[in-house]
Amino acid sequence: MGRLLKLLAFLLVVGFVLLVGFAYLGDLTPEQSDVSTPVTLDVD
């Protein structure tokens, strides 16, 4: 049972380190571009 708790603690620490590393190094900013669509208005 102790080995299982050690493994779980180890996985939690590794997961936290990877999450922090991804937060600092991961660049997920979307590419931005202007979108324009012409609109025809039928006004009588």
Side-chain angles (χ1 to χ4, degrees):
M1 189 69 176
R3 291 170 64 185
L4 184 61
L5 289 176
K6 285 183 184 179
L7 177 64
L8 182 61
F10 175 74
L11 289 176
L12 285 173
V13 169
V14 168
F16 181 73
V17 168
L18 289 175
L19 180 66
V20 170
F22 179 73
Y24 279 111
L25 301 176
D27 185 21
L28 296 177
T29 55
E31 295 181 12
Q32 296 181 355
S33 62
D34 291 331
V35 177
S36 61
T37 305
V39 176
T40 303
L41 298 176
D42 288 335
V43 179
D44 291 327

Short mmCIF file of all heavy atoms in Angstrom, two decimals:
data_model
loop_
_atom_site.label_atom_id
_atom_site.label_comp_id
_atom_site.label_asym_id
_atom_site.label_seq_id
_atom_site.Cartn_x
_atom_site.Cartn_y
_atom_site.Cartn_z
N MET A 1 0.82 -1.19 0.00
CA MET A 1 0.00 0.00 0.00
C MET A 1 0.87 1.26 0.00
O MET A 1 0.52 2.25 -0.63
CB MET A 1 -0.91 -0.02 1.23
CG MET A 1 -1.95 1.05 1.24
SD MET A 1 -3.15 0.74 -0.04
CE MET A 1 -4.28 2.03 0.25
N GLY A 2 1.99 1.20 0.69
CA GLY A 2 2.90 2.34 0.73
C GLY A 2 3.50 2.63 -0.62
O GLY A 2 3.71 3.79 -0.99
N ARG A 3 3.78 1.58 -1.39
CA ARG A 3 4.36 1.77 -2.72
C ARG A 3 3.35 2.44 -3.65
O ARG A 3 3.71 3.27 -4.48
CB ARG A 3 4.79 0.42 -3.31
CG ARG A 3 5.98 -0.18 -2.57
CD ARG A 3 6.25 -1.59 -2.99
NE ARG A 3 6.63 -1.68 -4.39
CZ ARG A 3 6.82 -2.82 -5.03
NH1 ARG A 3 6.65 -3.97 -4.39
NH2 ARG A 3 7.16 -2.83 -6.29
N LEU A 4 2.09 2.09 -3.48
CA LEU A 4 1.05 2.69 -4.30
C LEU A 4 0.91 4.18 -3.99
O LEU A 4 0.76 5.01 -4.90
CB LEU A 4 -0.28 1.98 -4.08
CG LEU A 4 -1.46 2.43 -4.93
CD1 LEU A 4 -1.16 2.21 -6.40
CD2 LEU A 4 -2.71 1.69 -4.52
N LEU A 5 0.97 4.54 -2.72
CA LEU A 5 0.89 5.95 -2.34
C LEU A 5 2.10 6.74 -2.84
O LEU A 5 1.97 7.88 -3.27
CB LEU A 5 0.75 6.08 -0.83
CG LEU A 5 -0.60 5.63 -0.26
CD1 LEU A 5 -0.60 5.71 1.26
CD2 LEU A 5 -1.73 6.46 -0.83
N LYS A 6 3.27 6.12 -2.79
CA LYS A 6 4.48 6.78 -3.31
C LYS A 6 4.37 6.99 -4.81
O LYS A 6 4.75 8.05 -5.33
CB LYS A 6 5.72 5.94 -2.99
CG LYS A 6 6.15 6.01 -1.56
CD LYS A 6 7.42 5.21 -1.34
CE LYS A 6 7.82 5.19 0.11
NZ LYS A 6 9.04 4.41 0.34
N LEU A 7 3.84 5.99 -5.51
CA LEU A 7 3.66 6.13 -6.95
C LEU A 7 2.66 7.23 -7.27
O LEU A 7 2.87 8.05 -8.17
CB LEU A 7 3.19 4.81 -7.56
CG LEU A 7 2.89 4.83 -9.06
CD1 LEU A 7 4.16 5.12 -9.85
CD2 LEU A 7 2.28 3.52 -9.48
N LEU A 8 1.57 7.27 -6.53
CA LEU A 8 0.57 8.31 -6.74
C LEU A 8 1.14 9.69 -6.46
O LEU A 8 0.92 10.64 -7.23
CB LEU A 8 -0.65 8.05 -5.86
CG LEU A 8 -1.81 9.03 -6.01
CD1 LEU A 8 -2.35 8.99 -7.43
CD2 LEU A 8 -2.89 8.71 -5.01
N ALA A 9 1.89 9.84 -5.39
CA ALA A 9 2.52 11.12 -5.06
C ALA A 9 3.51 11.52 -6.15
O ALA A 9 3.56 12.69 -6.57
CB ALA A 9 3.20 11.05 -3.71
N PHE A 10 4.28 10.56 -6.64
CA PHE A 10 5.24 10.84 -7.71
C PHE A 10 4.53 11.30 -8.97
O PHE A 10 4.94 12.28 -9.60
CB PHE A 10 6.08 9.58 -7.99
CG PHE A 10 7.01 9.74 -9.15
CD1 PHE A 10 8.16 10.49 -9.05
CD2 PHE A 10 6.74 9.13 -10.38
CE1 PHE A 10 9.02 10.65 -10.12
CE2 PHE A 10 7.57 9.27 -11.45
CZ PHE A 10 8.72 10.03 -11.33
N LEU A 11 3.45 10.64 -9.34
CA LEU A 11 2.70 11.03 -10.53
C LEU A 11 2.08 12.40 -10.38
O LEU A 11 2.02 13.18 -11.33
CB LEU A 11 1.64 9.99 -10.85
CG LEU A 11 2.15 8.65 -11.38
CD1 LEU A 11 1.00 7.69 -11.56
CD2 LEU A 11 2.93 8.83 -12.66
N LEU A 12 1.61 12.72 -9.19
CA LEU A 12 1.05 14.05 -8.95
C LEU A 12 2.11 15.13 -9.09
O LEU A 12 1.87 16.19 -9.68
CB LEU A 12 0.41 14.11 -7.57
CG LEU A 12 -0.94 13.41 -7.43
CD1 LEU A 12 -1.38 13.42 -5.97
CD2 LEU A 12 -1.98 14.08 -8.29
N VAL A 13 3.29 14.89 -8.55
CA VAL A 13 4.38 15.87 -8.64
C VAL A 13 4.81 16.04 -10.09
O VAL A 13 4.99 17.18 -10.57
CB VAL A 13 5.56 15.46 -7.74
CG1 VAL A 13 6.79 16.30 -8.03
CG2 VAL A 13 5.17 15.55 -6.28
N VAL A 14 4.97 14.95 -10.81
CA VAL A 14 5.38 15.03 -12.22
C VAL A 14 4.31 15.74 -13.04
O VAL A 14 4.62 16.59 -13.88
CB VAL A 14 5.68 13.62 -12.78
CG1 VAL A 14 5.82 13.65 -14.29
CG2 VAL A 14 6.93 13.05 -12.14
N GLY A 15 3.05 15.42 -12.79
CA GLY A 15 1.96 16.09 -13.51
C GLY A 15 1.93 17.58 -13.24
O GLY A 15 1.72 18.39 -14.15
N PHE A 16 2.17 17.98 -11.98
CA PHE A 16 2.18 19.40 -11.64
C PHE A 16 3.34 20.11 -12.33
O PHE A 16 3.18 21.21 -12.86
CB PHE A 16 2.27 19.58 -10.13
CG PHE A 16 2.26 21.01 -9.69
CD1 PHE A 16 1.09 21.75 -9.74
CD2 PHE A 16 3.42 21.62 -9.26
CE1 PHE A 16 1.08 23.08 -9.35
CE2 PHE A 16 3.43 22.95 -8.87
CZ PHE A 16 2.25 23.68 -8.91
N VAL A 17 4.51 19.48 -12.34
CA VAL A 17 5.68 20.08 -12.99
C VAL A 17 5.42 20.23 -14.49
O VAL A 17 5.75 21.27 -15.08
CB VAL A 17 6.94 19.24 -12.71
CG1 VAL A 17 8.10 19.66 -13.60
CG2 VAL A 17 7.34 19.35 -11.25
N LEU A 18 4.83 19.23 -15.10
CA LEU A 18 4.54 19.32 -16.53
C LEU A 18 3.49 20.39 -16.82
O LEU A 18 3.58 21.10 -17.81
CB LEU A 18 4.07 17.96 -17.05
CG LEU A 18 5.14 16.88 -17.13
CD1 LEU A 18 4.52 15.56 -17.55
CD2 LEU A 18 6.25 17.28 -18.08
N LEU A 19 2.51 20.51 -15.96
CA LEU A 19 1.48 21.54 -16.13
C LEU A 19 2.08 22.94 -16.02
O LEU A 19 1.78 23.82 -16.83
CB LEU A 19 0.38 21.36 -15.09
CG LEU A 19 -0.77 22.37 -15.15
CD1 LEU A 19 -1.55 22.18 -16.44
CD2 LEU A 19 -1.67 22.21 -13.95
N VAL A 20 2.94 23.16 -15.05
CA VAL A 20 3.59 24.46 -14.89
C VAL A 20 4.50 24.74 -16.09
O VAL A 20 4.53 25.85 -16.62
CB VAL A 20 4.37 24.52 -13.57
CG1 VAL A 20 5.25 25.75 -13.49
CG2 VAL A 20 3.41 24.49 -12.39
N GLY A 21 5.24 23.74 -16.55
CA GLY A 21 6.11 23.91 -17.71
C GLY A 21 5.31 24.25 -18.96
O GLY A 21 5.71 25.11 -19.75
N PHE A 22 4.19 23.59 -19.14
CA PHE A 22 3.34 23.89 -20.30
C PHE A 22 2.76 25.29 -20.21
O PHE A 22 2.64 25.99 -21.22
CB PHE A 22 2.23 22.86 -20.41
CG PHE A 22 1.30 23.10 -21.56
CD1 PHE A 22 1.71 22.84 -22.85
CD2 PHE A 22 0.03 23.60 -21.34
CE1 PHE A 22 0.86 23.07 -23.92
CE2 PHE A 22 -0.82 23.83 -22.40
CZ PHE A 22 -0.40 23.56 -23.69
N ALA A 23 2.40 25.72 -19.00
CA ALA A 23 1.83 27.06 -18.83
C ALA A 23 2.86 28.13 -19.18
O ALA A 23 2.51 29.18 -19.73
CB ALA A 23 1.35 27.24 -17.39
N TYR A 24 4.12 27.89 -18.88
CA TYR A 24 5.15 28.89 -19.17
C TYR A 24 5.66 28.79 -20.61
O TYR A 24 5.99 29.80 -21.22
CB TYR A 24 6.33 28.74 -18.21
CG TYR A 24 6.08 29.40 -16.88
CD1 TYR A 24 5.92 28.64 -15.74
CD2 TYR A 24 6.02 30.78 -16.77
CE1 TYR A 24 5.68 29.24 -14.51
CE2 TYR A 24 5.78 31.40 -15.56
CZ TYR A 24 5.62 30.62 -14.43
OH TYR A 24 5.38 31.21 -13.23
N LEU A 25 5.74 27.58 -21.16
CA LEU A 25 6.38 27.41 -22.45
C LEU A 25 5.39 27.22 -23.60
O LEU A 25 5.74 27.44 -24.75
CB LEU A 25 7.33 26.20 -22.41
CG LEU A 25 8.45 26.30 -21.37
CD1 LEU A 25 9.25 25.02 -21.36
CD2 LEU A 25 9.34 27.49 -21.64
N GLY A 26 4.18 26.81 -23.31
CA GLY A 26 3.21 26.56 -24.36
C GLY A 26 2.67 27.85 -24.93
O GLY A 26 2.24 28.74 -24.20
N ASP A 27 2.71 27.98 -26.25
CA ASP A 27 2.22 29.19 -26.90
C ASP A 27 0.96 28.82 -27.68
O ASP A 27 1.03 28.27 -28.77
CB ASP A 27 3.27 29.76 -27.84
CG ASP A 27 2.85 31.08 -28.45
OD1 ASP A 27 1.96 31.74 -27.88
OD2 ASP A 27 3.41 31.45 -29.49
N LEU A 28 -0.19 29.10 -27.11
CA LEU A 28 -1.45 28.74 -27.73
C LEU A 28 -2.24 29.95 -28.19
O LEU A 28 -3.45 29.90 -28.31
CB LEU A 28 -2.30 27.92 -26.75
CG LEU A 28 -1.72 26.58 -26.36
CD1 LEU A 28 -2.62 25.90 -25.33
CD2 LEU A 28 -1.55 25.68 -27.55
N THR A 29 -1.54 31.04 -28.48
CA THR A 29 -2.25 32.23 -28.94
C THR A 29 -2.76 32.00 -30.36
O THR A 29 -2.03 31.52 -31.22
CB THR A 29 -1.34 33.47 -28.93
OG1 THR A 29 -0.17 33.20 -29.69
CG2 THR A 29 -0.92 33.82 -27.50
N PRO A 30 -4.01 32.30 -30.63
CA PRO A 30 -4.56 32.06 -31.97
C PRO A 30 -4.06 33.09 -32.97
O PRO A 30 -3.73 34.22 -32.61
CB PRO A 30 -6.07 32.21 -31.76
CG PRO A 30 -6.19 33.11 -30.59
CD PRO A 30 -5.00 32.81 -29.71
N GLU A 31 -4.00 32.67 -34.21
CA GLU A 31 -3.62 33.60 -35.27
C GLU A 31 -4.82 34.52 -35.53
O GLU A 31 -5.94 34.07 -35.67
CB GLU A 31 -3.25 32.85 -36.54
CG GLU A 31 -2.01 32.00 -36.40
CD GLU A 31 -1.66 31.30 -37.70
OE1 GLU A 31 -2.23 31.65 -38.74
OE2 GLU A 31 -0.84 30.39 -37.64
N GLN A 32 -4.55 35.81 -35.62
CA GLN A 32 -5.61 36.78 -35.82
C GLN A 32 -5.54 37.33 -37.24
O GLN A 32 -4.46 37.60 -37.75
CB GLN A 32 -5.51 37.91 -34.82
CG GLN A 32 -5.70 37.46 -33.39
CD GLN A 32 -5.62 38.63 -32.42
OE1 GLN A 32 -5.33 39.75 -32.80
NE2 GLN A 32 -5.89 38.36 -31.16
N SER A 33 -6.70 37.49 -37.84
CA SER A 33 -6.76 38.09 -39.18
C SER A 33 -8.09 38.83 -39.30
O SER A 33 -9.08 38.48 -38.67
CB SER A 33 -6.64 37.03 -40.26
OG SER A 33 -7.72 36.13 -40.17
N ASP A 34 -8.09 39.86 -40.14
CA ASP A 34 -9.30 40.63 -40.37
C ASP A 34 -10.17 39.89 -41.38
O ASP A 34 -9.69 39.41 -42.41
CB ASP A 34 -8.97 42.02 -40.90
CG ASP A 34 -8.30 42.87 -39.83
OD1 ASP A 34 -8.57 42.64 -38.67
OD2 ASP A 34 -7.52 43.77 -40.22
N VAL A 35 -11.45 39.83 -41.08
CA VAL A 35 -12.41 39.19 -41.98
C VAL A 35 -13.47 40.23 -42.33
O VAL A 35 -14.10 40.80 -41.44
CB VAL A 35 -13.06 37.96 -41.31
CG1 VAL A 35 -14.11 37.35 -42.21
CG2 VAL A 35 -12.01 36.95 -40.92
N SER A 36 -13.65 40.45 -43.61
CA SER A 36 -14.70 41.39 -44.04
C SER A 36 -15.54 40.71 -45.11
O SER A 36 -15.04 40.08 -46.03
CB SER A 36 -14.09 42.68 -44.59
OG SER A 36 -13.30 42.40 -45.70
N THR A 37 -16.85 40.84 -44.96
CA THR A 37 -17.79 40.25 -45.90
C THR A 37 -18.71 41.35 -46.41
O THR A 37 -19.35 42.04 -45.60
CB THR A 37 -18.64 39.17 -45.20
OG1 THR A 37 -17.77 38.22 -44.61
CG2 THR A 37 -19.56 38.48 -46.18
N PRO A 38 -18.76 41.53 -47.72
CA PRO A 38 -19.66 42.56 -48.24
C PRO A 38 -21.12 42.16 -48.05
O PRO A 38 -21.48 41.02 -48.20
CB PRO A 38 -19.29 42.65 -49.73
CG PRO A 38 -18.62 41.37 -50.02
CD PRO A 38 -17.99 40.89 -48.76
N VAL A 39 -21.93 43.16 -47.74
CA VAL A 39 -23.36 42.92 -47.48
C VAL A 39 -24.15 43.79 -48.44
O VAL A 39 -23.92 45.00 -48.57
CB VAL A 39 -23.73 43.27 -46.04
CG1 VAL A 39 -25.23 43.11 -45.81
CG2 VAL A 39 -22.94 42.42 -45.08
N THR A 40 -25.09 43.18 -49.16
CA THR A 40 -25.98 43.92 -50.07
C THR A 40 -27.31 44.12 -49.38
O THR A 40 -27.97 43.14 -49.00
CB THR A 40 -26.17 43.13 -51.37
OG1 THR A 40 -24.90 42.87 -51.97
CG2 THR A 40 -27.04 43.91 -52.35
N LEU A 41 -27.70 45.38 -49.23
CA LEU A 41 -28.97 45.69 -48.59
C LEU A 41 -30.00 46.09 -49.63
O LEU A 41 -29.76 46.98 -50.45
CB LEU A 41 -28.79 46.83 -47.58
CG LEU A 41 -27.84 46.57 -46.42
CD1 LEU A 41 -27.71 47.83 -45.58
CD2 LEU A 41 -28.33 45.41 -45.58
N ASP A 42 -31.14 45.43 -49.64
CA ASP A 42 -32.24 45.77 -50.54
C ASP A 42 -33.23 46.65 -49.78
O ASP A 42 -34.11 46.19 -49.09
CB ASP A 42 -32.96 44.52 -51.04
CG ASP A 42 -32.12 43.74 -52.02
OD1 ASP A 42 -31.25 44.36 -52.67
OD2 ASP A 42 -32.30 42.52 -52.13
N VAL A 43 -33.06 47.97 -49.93
CA VAL A 43 -33.93 48.92 -49.25
C VAL A 43 -34.76 49.62 -50.30
O VAL A 43 -34.26 50.27 -51.21
CB VAL A 43 -33.09 49.95 -48.45
CG1 VAL A 43 -34.00 50.94 -47.77
CG2 VAL A 43 -32.21 49.24 -47.46
N ASP A 44 -36.06 49.51 -50.21
CA ASP A 44 -36.97 50.14 -51.18
C ASP A 44 -37.63 51.36 -50.59
O ASP A 44 -38.06 51.46 -49.53
CB ASP A 44 -38.02 49.15 -51.67
CG ASP A 44 -37.38 48.08 -52.54
OD1 ASP A 44 -36.39 48.41 -53.25
OD2 ASP A 44 -37.86 46.93 -52.50
#
